Every structure is written in structure tokens, then in C-alpha cells.
Amino acid sequence: MMKTEAEKMMHARAEVFKALGHPARLAMVIALGKGERCVCELQELVGSDMSTVSKHLSILRAVGLVDSEKRGLQVFYSLNCPCTLDFVSCVDRALAER
Amino acid sequence: MMKTEAEKMMHARAEVFKALGHPARLAMVIALGKGERCVCELQELVGSDMSTVSKHLSILRAVGLVDSEKRGLQVFYSLNCPCTLDFVSCVDRALAER
DNA sequence: TAGTTATTTGACAAAATAGCAAATAAGAAG
DNA sequence: CTTCTTATTTGCTATTTTGTCAAATAACTA
């Protein structure tokens, strides 16, 4: 199946939205909006296995939404697209008026 | 499985992102950013079966991203959350610097 | 009545998914 | 070096979701 440049672009964009389309990942992104967090903190936040959290984070990193930096034993994640938070606020407003 | 209010909220938000996590739906939302469109125009845009397009649109409407209005034989859809376009621009910028 | 636009309803294959257990890596600390 | 901790990766499984289409229905027009 041939794919035009525009289709590839749209696909890439959609991947970003898909990455945010999971409650745990979204919760982590919102938490990162308040500052960087290590994986263990994020694990406590979402309450899943650490390997699961790690996988979620790799999905967010793959689409460029977050960055990671290792410091000692810990890996700290930070939000690369603060505009995400603005959109979440907008979504909240839309959800409120339903 | 019990669900707190906060969890339900996060789930509802994630549903909005999931709705946007498909190339065809995202393309339609972006098109609607330029003004209302009837289903047949959107069908031409994405090139799928009309029933498929209709289903995609119902998903977007279910989460409150778009509105619809019937006029004669046609149904016109409009974007309910223009902020979506701002976020798409932001995503594009993030994708560009990869 | 016939034609058009759109939605709904199954139905189905295919794909994606989340999640966990176990293995691996990499640094810290004794 | 050994051990402990934090994190990632690697299968693997079951579950779910997914997108799509064909056919039926609806609603309006001519």
C-alpha cells in the first residue's frame, strides 16, 4: 500500500494521540507537567508493575512527548511538550459542558 | 473493579485522545478546522466507505469533539474544540525536531 | 415512486493491547 | 567482588479493540 507524504504525516500525528489515549500514560504526562519524576514515582502514581510503567514510558518517549535522563540508579522523565497540558485543560472544559 | 472519580475523569480524557488517534479521524478534525463539512465531503477526503466515515464521525461526536446538524439530505459537521488545532500545530513542531 | 445522503446494525478478521514474569543491564554500596 | 536497587527488555498470553464492509433502515427530495 503506497503512502503519500501527507498520509505518513497524519499517521505520525495520530501516533502521538494514541500514545496519550491511555489513562495511565495520560496521568503520567500530567504529573510530568509539574516537573520531572523518576520511574518509581510514576509507578506509585499509576500503581502498575514497574515493567508496565517502563513500557508506557517508552511509548511516550518514542513519539517525542517526554525525555529521559539517567542519574545514578534512577531515570528521570520530563515533559517535552508542555502544550499537552493546555490541550488537556481544553478537553476538560469540553467534558464539563456535556 | 472500583473506580474513583479521578480515575473516571482520566479515562474520559483518554477517550478523547483515543478518538483523535486515527489518521482518518484526525484528518477530518483538521479539515473541520477550516469550516463545516458534510459527510460526503469528508468521505471524499479520507476515501473510505461512507458507513466507515459515519462511524468515525460518531466516535468524534461521542467524545464531544464535533457537532452535527442535518440540513436537507446532508449532515454537516463542525469542530467543537478549536483548541485541537493548536495542539496539532504543537505536535507538528515536536515531530519536526526529531 | 425512485433516488440521495447518512446512520445503524451485525459480523468478522486482523491488529493491537495491556499486563506480567523472568531475564538483563547498570549503577550504588558494602 | 558481591549484593542490592532501579529500570528496561524480552517473550508470552489473553483480552480487547479495531477498522471495515455489506446490508438494512431512516430521512429527505424530486
Side-chain angles (χ1 to χ4, degrees), chain A residues 9 13 62 83 90 92 98, chain B residues 9 13 62 83 90 92 98:
Chain A
M9 180 68 181
R13 285 163 167 165
C83 58
C90 175
D92 283 350
R98 307 228 79 214
Chain B
M9 180 69 181
R13 285 164 166 164
C83 58
C90 175
D92 283 350
R98 307 226 79 213

Side-chain angles (χ1 to χ4, degrees), chain A residues 27-39:
Chain A
M28 290 193 288
V29 164
I30 292 173
L32 292 178
K34 293 168 197 137
E36 63 173 22
R37 298 278 189 277
C38 70
V39 179

